[in-house]
Amino acid sequence: MPARPATGPNLLDNGYALAFLAAALFSIKAIFIKLAYRHGVDVETFILLRMLLALPFYLAILASLCTRGQWRPVPGRTLVLTVALGICAYYMASFLDLQGLRYISANFERLIIYLYPTMVLLLGWWVQGKPVEPRQLLCILGAYAGILLIYCRTSSFPPARRCRAGPAWAPPAGAHC
């Protein structure tokens, strides 16, 4: 690829800014969904809207690849299987995510997303034999601690088993979840 002329800082060239923006936008999705549930919107309608809103972006990416000559067709059977798998996986992931939001808080649902790195870490260790580094374990323990904290504060345990409230920044004192 030819070098782009220097025109100053560009948001699209800053991976950290893009990742932060994506995480922020992804996180507010749960809040909007919880608000829509109050107005009687069902899971299937959400999935249809998500797919319809995403379709133009995927078509634009495909058009861009085709016009730049970067599209490399795959065999028909592979394309059909890939599309079918993508639709099924996207549909199932969306359905389970949206269905779960009917029963748990938006905070807890977003924290569950932090389980994904654990799955990636375990698969990397199991399939590729990559060692798990101490800093990776520390990050995962922090994520699980946050999940446990939110769970204890939003769970519907009977009062005798509920975690005792403390300052928002501290773990619940005497918690026995």
Side-chain angles (χ1 to χ4, degrees):
M1 261 178 101
R4 194 182 322 170
T7 58
N10 184 352
L11 177 66
L12 296 177
D13 290 336
N14 186 333
Y16 293 109
L18 291 174
F20 180 78
L21 182 62
L25 292 173
F26 188 70
S27 294
I28 64 171
K29 175 191 75 141
I31 296 168
F32 286 117
I33 290 169
K34 293 295 267 188
L35 291 172
Y37 278 150
R38 292 182 183 171
H39 296 284
V41 179
D42 62 355
V43 173
E44 291 79 12
T45 302
F46 273 125
I47 294 173
L48 177 64
L49 288 173
R50 285 181 74 182
M51 288 185 174
L52 288 175
L53 288 171
L55 183 62
F57 292 99
Y58 288 119
L59 292 176
I61 291 168
L62 176 63
S64 173
L65 290 172
C66 288
T67 58
R68 290 186 284 166
Q70 295 176 337
W71 170 253
R72 303 287 180 252
V74 295
R77 185 176 191 288
T78 303
L79 180 63
V80 169
L81 288 173
T82 303
V83 169
L85 180 62
I87 289 172
C88 290
Y90 183 75
Y91 178 82
M92 285 306 298
S94 295
F95 181 81
L96 294 173
D97 182 36
L98 295 171
Q99 192 69 20
L101 274 169
R102 297 178 77 193
Y103 303 104
I104 62 175
S105 71
N107 290 342
F108 190 56
E109 190 266 348
R110 292 292 94 187
L111 282 174
I112 290 173
I113 299 299
Y114 289 110
L115 298 178
Y116 293 165
T118 304
M119 292 180 234
V120 172
L121 190 69
L122 290 175
L123 283 172
W125 169 75
W126 184 50
V127 175
Q128 297 179 337
K130 290 185 176 182
V132 178
E133 298 178 19
R135 65 184 176 148
Q136 292 170 320
L137 285 177
L138 183 64
C139 291
I140 286 176
L141 287 174
Y144 280 100
I147 291 168
L148 181 64
L149 182 65
I150 294 294
Y151 181 74
C152 287
R153 292 192 181 269
T154 63
S155 66
S156 58
F157 288 126
R161 298 232 8 211
R162 188 174 299 138
C163 301
R164 293 190 181 95
W169 49 267
H176 48 275
C177 295

